[in-house]
Amino acid sequence: MTTAHAEAVKGTLPHEPEKATLEGRNKVLAFWLFLGGEAVLFGTLFATFLALRNQTNDGPSANELFHLPLVAAATFLLLVSSLTSVFAIQAMHRNRPALLRSWLLVTVVLGAAFLGLEIYEFSEYVRHEKFGMTTSAFSSAFYTLVGFHGAHVAFGILWISVLIGQLVRKGLTVVTAPKIYVSAMYWHFIDVVWVFIFTVVYLLGKVG
Amino acid sequence: MVTEQHPQEGSVKHRHRQEGPQRHIVVFIFSVVLTLIAFAAVAAGGVNASFAVILLLVMAVLQVFLQMGFWMHLKDKGHLMPIIFMLGGFFIAGTCIVMALYWVWWD
């Protein structure tokens, strides 16, 4: 059924293909409910972190540990990737699948670069700063919160990569468009969470 | 969802004049500026700690409003339910944070 539907609109895509079918509209609406739940999930992790951020157990403190240039670079990478996923959706609305795939690819590459920086950061902490998961309540809360966000980035990279493959095989249709739209919402949300992480974890950690 | 606007034949061409990338780039520039203000305030040092906390949180909230409003289209028509979902999520998240802070500050 879905393929027949997809064939029918080949070449002429509705203007907002993600909202052209009931399934697409339901997908977008339900994804908002999911993001509300994600907000709760991260809220609990932020609450834990805020409660435990000064419990360093004689291990490194936030102020000793964090290097702002690295955090700024990661922030910039994720912010640009959020913009490129906006461009991807605009390319989708103009029915330009090749351009859409390119912007999605740029988004994935920037996300991977962000993840690479985070892995580098964590490995530096563990190897050179003696700051492991079980060093202190602060370290556990830090790795849980920031690591959970990193896991979301990793999942987003996999997800969008699979969608690029699906675009190549199936093309841009009213079936594939909602999936892409929803993945872009997810990616923006990850960037929104990172805004709070660099503010609350890193910058406030430096302020004390 | 009742408030959702479905593109109708005929109204499509009129209603859906393609939005350009300009305002998204403007949101991006604002985001960069807000981020730079936050980082600069901390990197420069010497800023009063309690003032810095307020400044940083205001910068973060502004940036999140911009990105959720424009990039996630929450400011557009037909987003009442998404806004309710997100506000519900933020309300519970905020309750957890207030609870945790209250717990450690006044134990």
Side-chain angles (χ1 to χ4, degrees), chain A residues 15-16 19 25 29-30 32-33 35-37 39-40 43-44 46-48 50-52 68 71-72 75-76 79-80 82-83 86-87 89-90 93-94 181 185-186 188-189 191-192 195-196 198-200 203-204 206-207, chain B residues 1 4 6-7 12-13 15-16 18-21 24-25 28 31-32 35 38-39 42-43 49 52-53 56-57 60-61 63-64 67-68 71-74 79 81-82 85-86 88-90 92-93 96-97 100-101 104:
Chain A
H15 277 291
E16 287 185 328
K19 291 175 187 156
R25 288 193 294 277
L29 182 63
W32 278 110
L33 185 59
L35 288 185
V40 175
T44 59
F46 272 107
T48 311
L50 284 167
L52 300 175
L68 287 187
V71 183
T75 301
F76 194 69
L79 186 56
V80 174
S82 206
L83 181 69
V86 170
F87 290 160
I89 295 303
Q90 289 196 319
H93 284 160
R94 286 178 173 73
Y181 188 83
M185 283 166 61
Y186 176 83
H188 291 314
F189 182 76
D191 187 41
V192 162
V195 169
F196 284 120
F198 84 67
T199 301
V200 171
L203 294 181
L204 288 184
K206 276 288 180 188
V207 171
Chain B
M1 189 178 136
E4 189 107 51
H6 303 173
V12 163
K13 212 185 277 176
R15 192 177 70 84
H16 210 89
Q18 287 291 355
E19 56 174 40
H24 292 300
I25 291 172
F28 174 75
S31 295
V32 169
T35 304
F39 272 87
V42 174
V53 171
L56 292 175
L57 290 179
V61 169
Q63 185 169 167
V64 165
Q67 293 188 9
M68 296 197 81
W71 287 356
M72 299 175 84
H73 300 282
L74 276 184
H79 280 76
M81 284 313 283
F85 290 162
M86 290 315 291
F90 283 135
I92 298 172
C96 291
I97 290 165
L101 289 178
V104 292

Side-chain angles (χ1 to χ4, degrees), chain B residues 7 13 24 30-31 35 39 46 59 62 77-78 83 87 105-106:
Chain B
K13 212 185 277 176
H24 292 300
F30 269 105
S31 295
T35 304
F39 272 87
M59 295 297 119
L62 277 179
K77 271 188 182 165
I83 288 170
L87 284 182
W105 285 347
W106 292 275

